[in-house]
Amino acid sequence: MRVSVDRDRCEGYGLCAEEASHLMHLDDDGELVLDRAEVPPESSDAVEAAVRVCPVAALKVS
Amino acid sequence: MNELERVVVVGASLAGTTVVDTLRRLGYAGSVTLIGAERHPAYNRPALSKGVVAGTDGLDDIVLPPPSGEVDQLIGTPAVALHADRKEVVLAGGDRIRYDGLVIATGARARRLADLGAADPGVQETTFRDLDDAHRLSALLATRPHVVIVGAGILGMELASACVDRGATVTVVDRQPPLLGQLGPYLADLLITAAARRRVRFAHHPGGVRLRGTSGPPAVELADGRRFAGDHVLSAVGCAAETGWLASSGLAGAHGLVVDTRCRVAPGIVAAGDVVAFPSAAGPRRTPWWHSALEQARTAARALLHGDDAPPLTPSPYFWTDQFGMRVRVAGLLPAAGRPAVVDGSLPDDEPWAGSALLRWPGRGVAAAVNRRIPIGRLRALAQLEPAGT
């Protein structure tokens, strides 16, 4: 599974980072940083949860 | 601790799916059945009044990933009754679903002026709540109509913004001045200034609003006799907890489903999201916002598994709105009274859209970011900062 962020949609709410803090974080400017684009199998649930809590539907998994 | 084997979640939007995610994360290995009333899979609701009305988003852009792990999904099958004594949920069509643990996350429906006794009998009333409503409004806007919106709260103003973005002209009518009760005077003025620039017109009268007429689009009448007619009239007068299906259970009150600080309704039953009335200093209150649904869902899942050992929820309110080119995010309890201190940046009074700022209301535990990004944790920290020297 891969996770990607649509930069045009992302507004830096950071709710995703609360769900999957080991895979993504906000930098000092409030920009989302994906620490790993390739999601390890044991983290797929956390990443899917992160996708669901994004208020602007900016995260996608494939 | 309860030994749960069958959890049934009624409501498949943000609150319901977050409960499922949290149960699995906490190690719950029993069965989960997720029941949803809408015929669509779960989607991102805040996008409706933005991208979907704008015509730039379709269902594919905003659909949520299906629940993780093993979940039985029953979508397009509303629950119609709860028999708590037999631990059964009854679905439209008559199927009965047994549970050991029940999660109520049925959300809210659009309130109507007719519900408030403020519409002529038989009047045609249009509201905005779900994907079908958003598609319908998006199609209507193609002719650049004049739209009258009843309700100058958050939804009414976001809809007004989406309508003018599509070339419509808009009048917003309400009993109260725009956004004042929701946001407080400073933030309300900011957004009204930005709306006026887009030629949105406003009218209000404390005596209230009424929908008149029995055929075609209704007219909107204020208590002082002013009438507003448009090609389309939209009601955006708040939402009401979706508790009709609980009527015979005796669990739901007039103002929602009252829970304790662990989001528990009754033994073996928890609730989360827009349906919930959560304890506050002023009594049980609904807080139908995205972030409330998240924190309640996480709390409810823990309480279902761990009962009294689960931590109670201390809400940390977080709210945002995007309208008329302004982005406002707020940490803390709204409405924010008085004028804030500007922590950083500036917002010109006459053209606030040209600026950006971090604001805080000293001593009130409220901070806002206008037109700038800030991680949620930092905005919360700013809200809780005590004034220097106190």
Side-chain angles (χ1 to χ4, degrees):
Chain A
M1 180 188 282
R2 290 182 66 80
V3 60
S4 59
V5 57
D6 180 339
R7 294 283 164 198
D8 291 339
R9 297 185 81 105
C10 177
E11 295 177 16
Y13 288 100
L15 301 176
C16 57
E18 292 185 344
E19 288 289 333
S21 58
H22 54 304
L23 295 168
M24 54 191 75
H25 71 276
L26 293 184
D27 69 13
D28 286 346
D29 297 323
E31 292 284 347
L32 181 66
V33 179
L34 298 178
D35 301 307
R36 318 178 55 165
E38 193 67 43
V39 180
E42 68 275 15
S43 297
S44 62
D45 288 2
V47 167
E48 286 176 348
V51 172
R52 275 190 282 275
V53 301
C54 174
V56 289
L59 280 176
K60 292 275 185 287
V61 289
S62 55
Chain B
M1 185 176 134
N2 307 329
E3 276 308 322
L4 290 181
E5 290 176 5
R6 278 187 69 89
V7 170
V8 171
V9 181
V10 186
S13 194
L14 178 68
T17 56
T18 301
V19 170
V20 176
D21 285 336
T22 310
L23 286 171
R24 292 299 191 207
R25 182 168 313 173
L26 294 172
Y28 169 71
S31 82
V32 173
T33 303
L34 185 62
I35 297 169
E38 279 191 68
R39 61 189 173 88
H40 308 291
Y43 53 81
N44 176 299
R45 201 174 288 279
L48 294 180
S49 58
K50 303 176 182 79
V52 179
V53 173
T56 55
D57 281 346
L59 179 59
D60 285 352
D61 298 297
I62 63 169
V63 72
L64 301 179
S68 314
E70 292 279 304
V71 175
D72 298 324
Q73 284 204 79
L74 300 169
I75 296 301
T77 53
V80 295
L82 170 64
H83 297 309
D85 51 340
R86 295 201 295 270
K87 297 196 167 188
E88 277 180 359
V89 173
V90 185
L91 302 184
D95 284 351
R96 290 159 186 268
I97 312 286
R98 286 255 320 147
Y99 63 82
D100 307 320
L102 177 67
V103 181
I104 298 174
T106 38
R109 61 190 155 77
R111 194 193 282 146
R112 312 178 82 87
L113 286 159
D115 300 334
L116 304 169
D120 283 355
V123 72
Q124 174 192 325
E125 184 169 6
T126 307
T127 56
F128 187 95
R129 179 78 192 168
D130 61 23
L131 182 65
D132 295 338
D133 297 336
H135 280 145
R136 202 174 301 121
L137 177 59
S138 183
L140 291 176
L141 290 172
T143 60
R144 304 161 75 91
H146 181 59
V147 180
V148 178
I149 296 173
V150 184
I154 302 299
L155 176 63
M157 292 289 278
E158 288 184 354
L159 290 175
S161 176
C163 288
V164 295
D165 281 349
R166 292 281 309 275
T169 57
V170 176
T171 303
V172 183
V173 185
D174 200 338
R175 172 195 294 267
Q176 294 163 336
L179 298 173
L180 185 63
Q182 292 83 13
L183 300 183
Y186 181 84
L187 292 174
D189 278 353
L190 218 56
L191 295 172
I192 293 166
T193 305
R197 178 196 186 207
R198 306 296 308 278
R199 301 182 194 284
V200 173
R201 283 175 292 179
F202 293 101
H204 72 271
H205 190 280
V209 184
R210 194 169 178 85
L211 278 191
R212 315 294 316 232
T214 48
S215 65
V220 179
E221 190 173 285
L222 276 175
D224 58 9
R226 280 179 290 169
R227 277 176 90 101
F228 303 87
D231 301 305
H232 308 291
V233 174
L234 274 177
S235 294
V237 293
C239 60
E242 192 68 90
T243 53
W245 69 287
L246 298 171
S248 65
S249 73
L251 293 176
H255 300 293
L257 191 57
V258 175
V259 297
D260 71 5
T261 55
R262 293 177 175 86
C263 291
R264 293 178 297 191
V265 179
I269 305 178
V270 297
D274 291 2
V275 72
V276 157
F278 191 84
S280 79
R285 286 285 182 279
R286 291 177 56 240
T287 52
W289 309 310
W290 184 268
H291 193 260
S292 300
L294 280 182
E295 56 185 16
Q296 288 169 5
R298 293 167 183 158
T299 301
R302 286 192 166 79
L304 197 59
L305 295 181
H306 303 308
D308 286 340
D309 294 333
L313 172 62
T314 305
S316 49
Y318 182 62
F319 165 86
W320 64 82
T321 183
D322 295 344
Q323 45 182 280
F324 307 107
M326 305 281 292
R327 290 179 171 176
V328 176
R329 297 168 194 194
V330 184
L333 206 57
L334 287 167
R339 219 182 146 79
V342 177
V343 177
D344 188 37
S346 69
L347 291 170
D349 279 342
D350 49 348
E351 44 182 37
W353 53 85
S356 80
L358 287 180
L359 311 168
R360 60 185 294 265
W361 282 256
R364 296 184 183 277
V366 181
V370 180
N371 296 345
R372 66 166 63 187
R373 286 168 179 257
I374 179 171
I376 182 168
R378 279 185 28 212
L379 192 60
R380 281 201 187 116
L382 188 63
Q384 280 145 23
L385 209 63
E386 286 306 312
T390 62

